[in-house]
Amino acid sequence: QVQLVESGGGLVQAGGSLRLSCAASGGTYSRYAMGWFRQAPGKEREFVAAISWSGGSTQYADSVKARFTISRDNAKNTVYLRMNSLKPEDTAVYYCAADRTRFGSAKTDLLAYDYWGQGTQVTVSS
């Protein structure tokens, strides 16, 4: 079993920034593609960003492109999501996810992911 623990969420004013972290343990993290998803109240969980096993490629949802940056530090078993220019519509619970495919590519489909964190709340006030 792979454990993923998100942190870094909180309350921020519109236009502000946050950096989310996802710490992984219990698996071969350095060989997993990783993703960030979010779920707002009453909405389905949606793709935000993904990164390949090596960090060599990334994908972003159109709604966050140019504002969010996904990165990883495999030496620390951690994936990050830097969120800039936050908007009220970014308010959601943000989830980290791992694709157990070894040496996997960045994927946008939540069904491609096998392990999920508990989520961290991000609230953006106007």
Side-chain angles (χ1 to χ4, degrees):
Q1 182 67 40
V2 173
Q3 292 82 46
L4 304 173
V5 180
E6 302 97 333
S7 62
L11 176 64
V12 65
Q13 191 175 45
S17 299
L18 286 172
R19 189 180 74 163
L20 307 183
S21 298
C22 173
S25 63
T28 313
Y29 158 83
S30 63
R31 300 174 187 171
Y32 295 164
M34 303 291 293
W36 285 97
F37 293 77
R38 66 187 182 187
Q39 188 165 23
K43 303 291 181 60
E44 294 184 348
R45 192 168 299 186
E46 67 176 0
F47 169 75
V48 176
I51 190 165
S52 64
W53 71 275
S54 65
S57 63
T58 59
Q59 296 204 53
Y60 297 93
D62 288 343
S63 59
V64 307
K65 194 174 299 181
R67 298 189 298 119
F68 291 10
T69 303
I70 188 171
S71 62
R72 66 192 300 162
D73 185 343
N74 286 349
K76 296 181 178 179
N77 282 6
T78 302
V79 177
Y80 304 97
L81 184 69
R82 178 67 179 181
M83 305 184 294
N84 294 326
S85 302
L86 283 162
K87 305 174 181 179
E89 53 261 44
D90 295 318
T91 295
V93 177
Y94 282 71
Y95 296 91
C96 178
D99 170 13
R100 67 183 176 184
T101 302
R102 297 175 69 216
F103 311 115
S105 60
K107 301 176 178 67
T108 63
D109 188 349
L110 64 86
L111 296 178
Y113 294 87
D114 303 288
Y115 307 105
W116 295 83
Q118 82 288 351
T120 185
Q121 177 71 46
V122 172
T123 302
V124 184
S125 62
S126 59

